[in-house]
Amino acid sequence: MVKDKEQKGVLRSLDWVTIILYIILLGLGWMSVCGATYDFDQAGNIFSFGSRSGMQIVWIGTSILLGTLILSIDERIYESFSYLIYGAFLVLLLVTPFLARDIKGSMSWIKVGSFSIQPAEFAKFATALCLGRVMSMFELRLDRTRDLIISGLLVLLPMGLIVMQKETGSALVYLSFFFMFYREGMPGSFLFVGVAAVFYFVVGIRFEDAPLLDLKEVSLGAYTVMIAIWIFSTFMTRLYTQARAPFWWMLGGGLFLTVSSALFAMYVLPFDLVWVQLGVCILVILYLLFLALRERLATYFYVALFSIGSLGFFYSANYVMDHLMGDHQRTRIEVLLGMKEEPRGAGYNVAQAQIAIGSGGLHGKGFLNGTQTKLKYVPEQETDFIFCTVGEEEGFVGCTTVLVLFMLLLLRLIHVAERQVYRFGRIYGYCVVGIFFFHIFINVGMVLGLTPVIGIPLPFFSYGGSSLWGFTILLFILLRIDAGRNRLKRT
């Protein structure tokens, strides 16, 4: 009798808006898989288990059953066994390269009977549960360095094990947990450092060989990055210390050296201005270290450390590109940044996906009427590049509808996460939001040529059981935790 009342209470407390969005996205995803895999020679077989569209029905059905099972389990179980679940998946990730077959250079798929599963897809929910448990139980504050390191290691450990499987795309998804870190109090300076690093890498690599105006001796990329490091450090000093004198000394001195050296190089004797800007950065660093010792204020030291790290990161970027990245990774970045044109090489997938989306026009060609996808011009069109099928068959209207549905799902998940009465539920909720946002943003972006091609699925659309089950588990554990939010707060 008690169990029946609890079940009715769970059903009443479920967030049915999220479940409806989930079902709608599953349906649209299945239609996209049909469009991407439909064969004119096998018309009428979209429901056959011998076809990918038919198998996707199996994955959808089992996902719904899996979600129902998750909802039937007491939400406290997920918190209680979070350490065990996390540890089990770490072991599984560790042994995966020894059990997996080499599939296109990746050692991340384990054969189970006639199917293959990818443990990295399931390790995401395990990591989210463990983060929620650790951060809530020990009341970790992410504005404290020690607590931030502990939380970061919980994310970096599975991420490193996945990199060992040569599955870089799946590993990068774990960076999405830092969205939750920011919500839980991580200083915004950490996000700024990440944005600055991307800026240094893109500008430095992209414009490394471009000259500054008529000064062929000067690299536009290096010169721009050096100025950015000086400007960033100067304004960070003003923002975090509120000190006016150091700010004006750093800004005025740097501005004088920058302008005077530029005028000298342009009108008197051409020389490499990068050395001047490097000197400005070094002077700024020395001045900050002097202030840190004189004022005994650690903030000056941290800004100096940022400048040193920026210089080190920038000058190591080329080494990373040339020696640490694989040829395919390096080529993809060069194509994305417009440094190399390979319409039949690394840029082929993106070029064909863009053609497919563009050919759909405003309203699309109609369900199963796409030509680019039917003729298999787009590689991986039912998995990583599934969004191009939406664009070709449903057009701009269809793409917009799908993106709006995803936006509504993300906003709803944020609402669900914010209304949790326990910190554990809120932390897990924002982990789910971050993972979904990362997948949607990167997948759609790489199809449109806006982000690197790193090979991650689009939630509920890409063909396959592992990704669909993984997203379902993530989502329905959150729904089950949310359904139990009305319990009295545990002491």
Side-chain angles (χ1 to χ4, degrees), residues 103-398:
I103 301 177
K104 298 180 180 179
S106 172
M107 304 290 290
S108 60
W109 292 86
I110 298 178
K111 189 77 171 177
V112 180
S114 58
F115 304 104
S116 295
I117 62 171
Q118 189 177 24
E121 290 292 335
F122 303 100
K124 289 180 285 193
F125 88 86
T127 304
L129 286 174
C130 186
L131 278 170
R133 178 76 183 280
V134 171
M135 292 176 63
S136 60
M137 174 173 287
F138 298 102
E139 298 183 354
L140 298 188
R141 289 176 46 192
L142 298 186
D143 56 349
R144 296 188 301 214
T145 304
R146 181 184 66 87
D147 292 353
L148 182 60
I149 291 174
I150 293 172
S151 303
L153 287 175
L154 291 175
V155 175
L156 294 176
L157 188 54
M159 188 176 176
L161 293 175
I162 295 171
V163 170
M164 291 171 55
Q165 303 172 11
K166 300 179 180 180
E167 189 64 35
T168 309
S170 296
L172 290 176
V173 173
Y174 284 73
L175 294 176
S176 63
F177 287 106
F178 285 86
F179 292 123
M180 178 276 293
F181 285 177
Y182 183 68
R183 168 60 181 84
E184 292 300 314
M186 183 181 73
S189 56
F190 284 92
L191 289 181
F192 174 77
V193 168
V195 173
V198 173
F199 176 81
Y200 299 151
F201 185 83
V202 172
V203 173
I205 295 296
R206 174 64 180 84
F207 300 103
E208 178 188 13
D209 299 323
L212 176 65
L213 301 176
D214 294 329
L215 300 173
K216 296 182 180 179
E217 300 87 353
V218 185
S219 167
L220 176 60
Y223 188 68
T224 303
V225 169
M226 291 301 160
I227 290 181
I229 294 174
W230 156 53
I231 294 294
F232 290 162
S233 301
T234 300
F235 280 89
M236 285 175 72
T237 301
R238 181 71 177 91
L239 177 64
Y240 291 112
T241 66
Q242 301 298 317
R244 294 184 179 181
F247 167 75
W248 289 114
W249 275 107
M250 293 165 62
L251 182 62
L255 189 61
F256 172 77
L257 290 173
T258 298
V259 174
S260 60
S261 61
L263 291 173
F264 185 85
M266 291 174 66
Y267 298 108
V268 181
L269 179 66
F271 69 97
D272 193 347
L273 288 172
V274 174
W275 290 105
V276 175
Q277 289 309 126
L278 178 60
V280 171
C281 292
I282 293 175
L283 288 174
V284 165
I285 292 170
L286 293 175
Y287 182 54
L288 287 168
L289 293 175
F290 166 74
L291 291 173
L293 293 173
R294 190 186 72 176
E295 306 292 338
R296 295 187 178 182
L297 187 61
T299 304
Y300 288 117
F301 174 76
Y302 291 140
V303 178
L305 190 63
F306 164 79
S307 302
I308 295 171
S310 297
L311 290 173
F313 179 84
F314 170 66
Y315 280 109
S316 64
N318 280 328
Y319 179 81
V320 171
M321 281 278 291
D322 296 336
H323 298 91
L324 299 184
M325 288 187 177
D327 292 338
H328 67 288
Q329 294 170 326
R330 183 168 56 253
T331 303
R332 284 176 178 177
I333 291 176
E334 291 172 344
V335 170
L336 177 69
L337 298 180
M339 301 167 61
K340 182 183 292 186
E341 295 290 340
E342 286 202 1
R344 296 187 179 276
Y348 178 79
N349 290 24
V350 175
Q352 293 301 321
Q354 291 174 334
I355 292 172
I357 292 176
S359 68
L362 180 62
H363 299 289
K365 300 175 181 177
F367 181 53
L368 302 181
N369 290 324
T371 53
Q372 296 293 120
T373 49
K374 299 302 171 297
L375 297 175
K376 312 300 180 185
Y377 280 113
V378 186
E380 310 297 338
Q381 62 188 22
E382 72 274 21
T383 52
D384 299 341
F385 285 83
I386 189 72
F387 193 70
C388 71
T389 305
V390 179
E392 184 179 26
E393 295 192 346
E394 310 305 328
F396 176 79
V397 173

Side-chain angles (χ1 to χ4, degrees), residues 413-451:
L413 292 179
I414 291 174
H415 171 72
V416 170
E418 280 295 334
R419 72 184 180 190
Q420 298 308 302
V421 294
Y422 311 131
R423 193 182 181 205
F424 169 78
R426 186 179 71 240
I427 291 171
Y428 180 82
Y430 271 97
C431 288
V432 175
V433 172
I435 292 170
F436 273 95
F437 174 77
F438 191 92
H439 271 273
I440 296 165
F441 178 78
I442 296 297
N443 183 278
V444 175
M446 73 184 191
V447 172
L448 298 177
L450 302 176
T451 59

